[in-house]
Amino acid sequence: MKQKPGRSFMPFLRGTLAGAGGALIGVGIATGDVLYGIVGGVAVAIPMMAITLRNSLTARRRRQSVEAMIEEIGPAMELSAVARAVIGPEGIVIQHNMPWAAMGLPRDTVPEPWVEAVERGQERRFALVPSGRQIEVVGRGLGTLAHYYLLTVRDVIEAPSIDPGIFEHADLGWFEMDPRGAVTAINATLANWLGRPIEDIYAGGLSIYEIFRPAAHADVGDDRYRADLLPVDDESFPVEVVLQGGAGGTAPRGGLIIDLREIVRSVEALAESAERFGRFIDDAPVGIAALTAEGRVEEANPVFAEMVAGRPEPEEVLGQDLRQMIDWPPDDDRAGADFAQVLAGADGASAELRFKATPSLTLRLFATRASRVHIGGERTTTRIVYMLDVSAQKALEEQFVQSQKMQAVGQLAGGIAHDFNNLLTAIIGFCDLLLTRHGPGDDSFPDVMQIKQNANRAANLVRQLLAFSRRQTLRPKIIDIRDTLNDLSTLLRRLIGANIRLDLQHAPDLGLVRVDPSQFDQVIINLVVNARDAMAEGGRITIKTRNLSRRELRRHPALQLPPGDYVMIEVADSGHGIPRDVLPKIFEPFFTTKEVGAGTGLGLSTVYGIVKQTGGSITVDSEPGQGTTFRIALPRHVGGAEADTEAAAEAPEKPETAAAPGNETVLIVEDEDAVRNFSVRALRRQGYQVLEAPTGEEALEIIESGAARIELLISDVVMPTMDGPSLARRAQELLPDLKVILISGYAEEQFRKSLDPGLAFTFLAKPFSLKQLGALVREVLDGK
């Protein structure tokens, strides 16, 4: 049994209230009772208010639905080339597009016949008043909204009959069809594309849906759209269909077909070219970016993003203000001025920058010409810039400048050391002369000893300066660094204390090196002591040794060494590190960060000089809070640990003993009066016949005069006009049996390389004591 639809209870309730209210009002009037009238009025007002509220809500919902529908179809209607409008009840025009206004159609209310035709779903023609212009009106309802329609208006144009012959040999496809969509005519071009004879097409009643398949497209009222043509035995290809209206403009009766294959191939080739160019940009070894005039990043390749943001992802920098990402120097406005020049595109402009995300990199930004490009739908001026990582180049430049600086300081230090050695030779020498007259029981003995001890301390500082300037005398031996470090480890552990751990890590096949063992010990001790001072609360010191091949040497450009095989010694600590502003100065003499009196500032400068004089190199890597690592590379010795050719120079020094007296004739040549006077008095006290001359020329005159049989020549190396080696060579030509002692405040190696290999001499380094001078003179004269 079919259930009857339910009825609403609300109309019955409203009618009951209204009837009861009316009855109460009548009773009130008849009886004159005001209360009956008031109650009756309220009873009547309740249903009336409910009706009013319901109507208001209904109107509001309808208005919201209309607004939502208009918002949905609005963009398509505005883009349409056909006149369209949204109308409401009684034909009120709610919204229309520009073609509607251009045709002069009603803007407030459309004629009632138009509304009636649309309501009946009819497509009808009307004549516009007063022009008589023929138009065609069609419409459709807007969803479930009653009395709301979308109207479309077209001009009625009687299309002339098209002669198929004009398209027969054109590059366009052409077809005609009947109202059912069956193809009635076709040109040879379209038949060729389809791979079908024209006769078969006419005979088979081919449908247009067997010719092409429309592609998805928005309904904007246009008569042209994209489609895929469907050949019989070939793949489909893209075309554009332009429909032509039939007689009276009622429905399309045919159209033109444009082959889009070449266009598609061109677009694909362009896309491939753009992709290839994009890969070229993305894979470029330099940073490339597009900046606005204000410095905002619009485009960037991965290298640029990695340089600026530390990650090779362009999304990290797109839209960012490059100015905000730069780590500007606090007291230098040059970077800002250079950056402004880059943005302005000044010729040859570049800026050296550091960025907050990559503080370890030094980058140089170069400008190019500005371009007008489309970005975000707007045409704007964009600056293409290139960024290079110049960190390695900058480091090499700084190292070169530092090397030049150290060389200049070394020459200065060497000159100062030479002059100091002359002064110290005189001070120590005259102290020795005084001590021969003032023995331990004399009141003056303590004072003289204080002078001599402080002079010896000064001599030690001078030796460190000579080590830094690479002008000290070395006694090299071929050693295995592992043995030397193992022997030294006990001393090192006592120096660093119990709260610091010392680890030695040796490569099993470590090569040999040729160094001065005592100087190498001094290098390691200085580095370990510095590491200890950087770890007041304890830590770890690691000493590693390994071979450094020619190939591995390329990975350490900071060493600045010629190609070859080297032995690497690394001394690393876990201390507080070295500040960046201090790092370039650590090898300079007398530079120290310690408290006054806690150090001389010559420790690392001595290390630097010893390593350089040995033919090696030293570098340092340090970050505040992350420790410090010193790397020393020494030339690897080729061959075994056979006895050194300079075995005599390697023999341990003999302790000072009282020199035996002599009576031979000795010629002393020294331009420093104090050193010459001390040497003359010292040797005369020992019984020698001593002649003296302040210059080489005067010394030659004494020798050539033959006034005395000179057996020993003692000469300073560095003298004005004629130096000591030149004097010694001339003197030995005159006196073949003459023995020679050369004295100098510089190292023997500094001048031996430039000497005649046939020159025989013995070297005595300044400063020297009275006993050292007397003992060496006796040894040379005795031929020992």
Side-chain angles (χ1 to χ4, degrees):
M1 183 176 178
K2 188 175 180 180
Q3 187 176 359
K4 295 182 179 180
R7 296 182 179 180
S8 175
F9 177 71
M10 292 305 298
F12 173 76
L13 180 60
R14 286 197 298 267
T16 301
L17 287 174
L24 289 174
I25 292 173
V27 171
I29 294 174
T31 60
D33 191 338
V34 178
L35 181 60
Y36 280 103
I38 294 174
V39 173
V42 171
V44 172
I46 289 175
M48 296 304 296
M49 290 176 61
I51 293 172
T52 302
L53 180 61
R54 183 197 63 182
N55 293 339
S56 176
L57 291 175
T58 302
R60 180 178 179 183
R61 282 195 294 269
R62 182 182 296 111
R63 185 169 58 253
Q64 289 176 343
S65 299
V66 171
E67 291 174 354
M69 184 62 70
I70 291 176
E71 183 178 354
E72 179 181 349
I73 67 174
M77 189 174 71
E78 290 296 331
L79 292 173
S80 176
V82 179
R84 287 188 167 183
V86 175
I87 65 170
E90 300 180 359
I92 297 174
V93 178
I94 298 174
Q95 185 176 353
H96 62 78
N97 62 2
M98 292 182 64
W100 181 281
M103 290 181 66
L105 300 175
R107 300 189 183 185
D108 298 324
T109 306
V110 299
E112 185 177 349
W114 293 18
V115 179
E116 292 176 355
V118 170
E119 288 178 345
R120 296 173 183 175
Q122 298 175 346
E123 180 179 328
R124 293 183 56 184
R125 294 185 184 182
F126 297 96
L128 291 179
V129 179
S131 64
R133 180 179 181 181
Q134 293 292 314
I135 60 170
E136 181 182 78
V137 178
V138 65
R140 61 182 175 86
L142 293 180
T144 59
L145 296 175
H147 307 297
Y148 286 88
Y149 301 94
L150 174 64
L151 266 63
T152 300
V153 178
R154 290 186 176 90
D155 279 318
V156 177
I157 301 174
E158 297 294 338
S161 178
I162 299 175
D163 182 6
I166 65 174
F167 298 111
E168 189 62 30
H169 300 290
D171 291 333
L172 300 174
W174 172 84
F175 70 95
E176 280 190 351
M177 61 182 178
D178 61 20
R180 299 188 308 275
V183 177
T184 59
I186 193 172
N187 70 343
T189 302
L190 181 56
N192 185 47
W193 289 348
L194 294 172
R196 298 171 180 265
I198 295 179
E199 296 77 9
D200 293 349
I201 294 176
Y202 291 164
L206 189 68
S207 170
I208 60 169
Y209 298 109
E210 297 177 68
I211 294 179
F212 55 78
R213 177 179 60 246
H217 63 284
D219 179 16
V220 294
D222 296 329
D223 292 331
R224 56 193 303 158
Y225 55 89
R226 297 289 178 88
D228 291 327
L229 198 73
L230 305 174
V232 175
D233 299 321
D234 204 350
E235 294 183 359
S236 62
F237 59 87
V239 295
E240 183 170 325
V241 180
V242 181
L243 295 178
Q244 296 173 317
T250 54
R253 71 172 192 182
L256 300 175
I257 299 180
I258 304 170
D259 186 357
L260 299 181
R261 282 178 290 188
E262 287 298 326
I263 296 176
V264 170
R265 279 193 286 267
S266 299
V267 171
E268 290 175 348
L270 183 62
E272 182 180 352
S273 176
E275 182 181 358
R276 185 166 56 251
F277 184 73
R279 289 198 304 268
F280 173 77
I281 296 296
D282 289 345
D283 297 339
V286 300
I288 304 175
L291 304 182
T292 64
E294 296 77 24
R296 192 170 298 279
V297 181
E298 297 293 348
E299 297 289 342
N301 69 344
V303 175
F304 187 91
E306 187 169 15
M307 289 178 174
V308 172
R311 298 175 61 186
E313 299 174 5
E315 295 78 11
E316 295 289 329
V317 297
L318 295 183
Q320 298 290 328
D321 186 350
L322 204 61
R323 298 174 188 271
Q324 303 299 324
M325 306 177 75
I326 297 174
D327 186 8
W328 298 106
D331 301 323
D332 187 3
D333 296 332
R334 180 177 176 181
D338 290 345
F339 183 72
Q341 290 293 312
V342 169
L343 290 183
D347 291 341
S350 67
E352 188 174 290
L353 305 170
R354 288 180 182 269
F355 288 83
K356 298 174 182 178
T358 55
S360 62
L361 298 182
T362 301
L363 306 170
R364 185 165 287 278
L365 188 69
F366 297 89
T368 62
R369 63 181 179 84
S371 302
R372 298 282 292 178
V373 298
H374 286 282
I375 295 178
E378 298 182 359
R379 192 166 178 82
T380 182
T381 301
T382 298
R383 175 77 55 199
I384 305 299
V385 295
Y386 299 91
M387 187 114 72
L388 296 178
D389 184 355
V390 295
S391 303
Q393 177 185 345
K394 194 71 177 176
L396 288 176
E397 290 176 359
E398 293 175 353
Q399 289 165 9
F400 178 75
V401 171
Q402 182 69 7
S403 176
Q404 294 292 97
K405 177 181 177 181
M406 297 295 284
Q407 183 177 354
V409 174
Q411 291 175 346
L412 175 63
I416 293 173
H418 175 266
D419 294 340
F420 260 93
N421 275 334
N422 282 328
L423 297 174
L424 293 172
T425 301
I427 294 172
I428 293 172
F430 282 111
C431 282
D432 287 339
L433 290 176
L434 286 172
L435 290 173
T436 60
R437 298 196 303 270
H438 302 278
D442 195 294
D443 292 340
S444 301
F445 179 80
D447 298 334
V448 177
M449 285 300 298
Q450 279 290 330
I451 295 173
K452 183 175 181 179
Q453 288 172 2
N454 282 283
N456 285 330
R457 289 182 59 193
N460 185 51
L461 290 177
V462 172
R463 277 192 292 273
Q464 290 180 300
L465 283 176
L466 285 173
F468 166 73
S469 61
R470 290 167 266 171
R471 297 183 180 182
Q472 65 172 339
T473 300
L474 296 179
R475 293 178 173 84
K477 292 178 63 177
I478 300 170
I479 66 170
D480 187 329
I481 290 179
R482 293 173 294 187
D483 297 336
T484 302
L485 291 174
N486 290 334
D487 294 341
L488 195 62
S489 61
T490 302
L491 172 62
L492 295 177
R493 287 188 171 91
R494 285 202 301 267
L495 286 174
I496 63 178
N499 64 334
I500 297 177
R501 178 180 174 182
L502 177 66
D503 288 339
L504 299 180
Q505 300 177 12
H506 300 305
D509 57 344
L510 193 67
L512 303 176
V513 295
R514 189 172 182 270
V515 297
D516 185 325
S518 63
Q519 298 293 337
F520 180 76
D521 289 351
Q522 185 177 356
V523 167
I524 299 300
I525 290 172
N526 275 327
L527 293 179
V528 170
V529 168
N530 275 355
R532 176 202 66 188
D533 294 342
M535 297 182 292
E537 299 178 357
R540 179 175 181 175
I541 300 175
T542 304
I543 302 178
K544 296 181 181 179
T545 60
R546 62 185 179 90
N547 293 322
L548 190 65
S549 65
R550 293 171 181 261
R551 180 176 299 178
E552 289 180 298
L553 183 62
R554 298 173 189 167
R555 286 180 259 173
H556 298 275
L559 291 172
Q560 296 181 322
L561 288 171
D565 295 324
Y566 294 85
V567 172
M568 175 80 81
I569 305 103
E570 295 183 358
V571 181
D573 65 64
S574 58
H576 52 63
I578 303 173
R580 289 183 183 176
D581 58 332
V582 173
L583 204 57
K585 306 175 184 178
I586 60 173
F587 292 122
E588 296 179 7
F590 303 113
F591 177 81
T592 179
T593 57
K594 298 177 181 178
E595 298 178 358
V596 177
T600 62
L602 288 172
L604 289 178
S605 62
T606 302
V607 169
Y608 178 87
I610 293 172
V611 172
K612 288 291 186 179
Q613 192 172 356
T614 307
S617 181
I618 181 170
T619 62
V620 58
D621 290 330
S622 183
E623 287 290 339
Q626 299 182 13
T628 302
T629 300
F630 285 90
R631 293 183 178 88
I632 300 172
L634 299 175
R636 185 173 179 178
H637 176 73
V638 180
E642 66 273 5
D644 203 335
T645 55
E646 298 184 15
E650 298 166 8
E653 296 183 2
K654 299 178 181 179
E656 290 187 5
T657 57
N663 55 9
E664 292 88 348
T665 301
V666 179
L667 174 59
I668 297 179
V669 186
E670 170 64 67
D671 60 328
E672 287 286 338
D673 294 340
V675 176
R676 187 178 69 253
N677 291 338
F678 151 67
S679 303
V680 169
R681 289 181 59 183
L683 293 182
R684 282 177 179 170
R685 286 177 58 86
Q686 295 181 11
Y688 295 99
Q689 303 297 318
V690 182
L691 304 175
E692 60 179 300
T695 64
E697 292 82 353
E698 293 183 27
L700 281 178
E701 291 177 2
I702 293 174
I703 294 173
E704 292 171 349
S705 68
R709 183 174 177 273
I710 302 173
E711 299 178 67
L712 175 63
L713 171 65
I714 301 176
S715 175
D716 189 16
V717 173
V718 180
M719 294 187 299
T721 311
M722 179 181 289
D723 59 20
S726 300
L727 170 62
R729 186 168 51 253
R730 294 282 300 277
Q732 286 182 341
E733 290 174 357
L734 297 173
L735 302 173
D737 296 331
L738 181 67
K739 297 180 179 179
V740 177
I741 296 177
L742 293 179
I743 59 177
S744 177
Y746 290 131
E748 180 181 355
E749 287 84 354
Q750 293 300 308
F751 61 87
R752 182 177 281 278
K753 298 176 184 177
S754 59
L755 295 182
D756 182 355
L759 180 62
F761 69 94
T762 302
F763 180 73
L764 178 61
K766 296 178 182 179
F768 51 81
S769 66
L770 185 150
K771 290 182 180 180
Q772 288 173 324
L773 176 62
L776 186 60
V777 167
R778 189 68 264 162
E779 287 180 8
V780 171
L781 289 173
D782 293 342
K784 296 181 180 180

